[in-house]
Amino acid sequence: SSELTQDPAVSVALGQTVRITCQGDSLRSYYASWYQQKPGQAPVLVIYGKNNRPSGIPDRFSGSSSGNTASLTITGAQAEDEADYYCNSRDSSANHLVFGGGTKLTVL
Amino acid sequence: QVQLQQWGAGLLKPSETLSLTCAVYGGSFSGYYWSWIRQPPGKGLEWIGEINHSGSTNYNPSLKSRVTISVDTSKKQFSLKLSSVTAADTAVYYCARGIAAADVYYYYYMDVWGKGTTVTVSS
C-alpha cells in the first residue's frame, strides 16, 4: 500500500501533551518525517528519522515509531503549535513519496 | 543557509502547460533529491515528483503521464512541466530539497522548502 493515514483533527489543552499518529504499510520499513504548516506558509520540517529535530525546532516535539504507526508527540503544547501536521515517507516500492492527509491541531 | 527560490506563470488556461523553476542558493546541488509538491486550495500536500543531480527521476503515478522534471546543474536549478492542465491542477506548488538516509530503518525528509507559487487554471 502507498497510503499514509492520519486523523483529520486533534485538539489539546494548552500545556498538555498530544500525540498525532500516521499509519501505513511503508512505515514498517521507513521512518516518517513530520511537517508543520501554518496558514499561508510553506511546510516546515519538525521531525525526521528515528527522532531527530532540525535546528530551531523546540524539544517539546518528538517522534516515535512502532509497527506500521509513526507518532508525533508535542509535550506541553503551546498556542503557536496550532497548525496542520503532515507525515511523509517513501512508499514500499521506495520509488515514490507519500504524504498523509494531514491533521489539524487545535490548541484550546 | 540553503534557500530555494521558485518562479513561474501563475495563471494558465485549460490545456496549457504549467512551467515552474526552482533555484538553489547557498548550498550544494549534488547528493540530494529535488522535489515538487503541490497543495490544492483547502487540501493536503501531494508529491508530484523528484529528480537528483544526475537527472534520475521518480514521478507520482497519478501524474506521471503529464509530468516532466528536469535539472540544470550548471545553474543549480530544477524545473517542473505539467502538461494539459485543468482546473484540478489549481494549487500552490512548492519545491523542496530531499535527503535520504538510514539507520535501523530507511528515512527520507525534506528540510528546505521554497515559498510556494500559486497556480490558477481558469478559462
Side-chain angles (χ1 to χ4, degrees):
Chain A
S1 170
S2 61
E3 293 184 351
L4 296 178
T5 301
Q6 297 182 242
D7 291 330
V10 171
S11 62
V12 61
L14 184 68
Q16 296 303 301
T17 296
V18 62
R19 176 173 292 181
I20 298 170
T21 61
C22 173
Q23 288 189 303
D25 288 343
S26 64
L27 300 181
R28 297 185 186 277
S29 304
Y30 284 91
Y31 291 119
S33 55
W34 290 93
Y35 304 85
Q36 176 193 71
Q37 187 182 34
K38 296 181 179 179
Q41 298 182 18
V44 173
L45 177 70
V46 294
I47 290 289
Y48 66 96
K50 187 175 182 180
N51 182 20
N52 300 302
R53 284 176 289 104
S55 175
I57 300 301
D59 62 4
R60 64 178 178 272
F61 289 88
S62 63
S64 61
S65 183
S66 178
N68 72 336
T69 301
S71 300
L72 171 70
T73 299
I74 307 174
T75 304
Q78 302 298 303
E80 61 264 32
D81 300 334
E82 187 163 288
D84 294 326
Y85 290 85
Y86 295 91
C87 59
N88 167 249
S89 83
R90 289 281 186 198
D91 70 1
S92 299
S93 77
N95 291 328
H96 307 123
L97 292 176
V98 289
F99 283 97
T103 297
K104 182 176 182 61
L105 175 67
T106 300
V107 180
L108 304 172
Chain B
Q1 177 125 4
V2 178
Q3 294 185 5
L4 302 182
Q5 182 175 344
Q6 56 181 106
W7 64 89
L11 180 60
L12 296 172
K13 291 182 167 52
S15 81
E16 293 184 334
T17 295
L18 179 157
S19 182
L20 299 174
T21 298
C22 184
V24 181
Y25 296 101
S28 172
F29 198 73
S30 62
Y32 298 98
Y33 293 87
W34 302 98
S35 272
W36 289 97
I37 300 100
R38 71 180 183 179
Q39 185 171 36
K43 296 189 178 181
L45 300 171
E46 179 182 32
W47 176 72
I48 299 170
E50 66 182 3
I51 192 166
N52 65 14
H53 69 280
S54 63
S56 177
T57 55
N58 290 309
Y59 298 133
N60 185 323
S62 68
L63 298 169
K64 185 174 183 177
S65 63
R66 298 193 291 131
V67 173
T68 302
I69 297 176
S70 59
V71 65
D72 185 336
T73 54
S74 65
K75 294 182 178 179
K76 293 171 66 176
Q77 295 177 0
F78 61 107
S79 298
L80 167 69
K81 291 190 185 301
L82 180 67
S83 64
S84 305
V85 298
T86 69
D89 295 311
T90 293
V92 176
Y93 287 74
Y94 296 100
C95 57
R97 184 178 80 169
I99 298 172
D103 48 49
V104 176
Y105 287 177
Y106 295 103
Y107 58 99
Y108 179 95
Y109 59 100
M110 290 176 276
D111 65 336
V112 183
W113 291 66
K115 293 184 185 298
T117 300
T118 298
V119 176
T120 302
V121 181
S122 175
S123 56

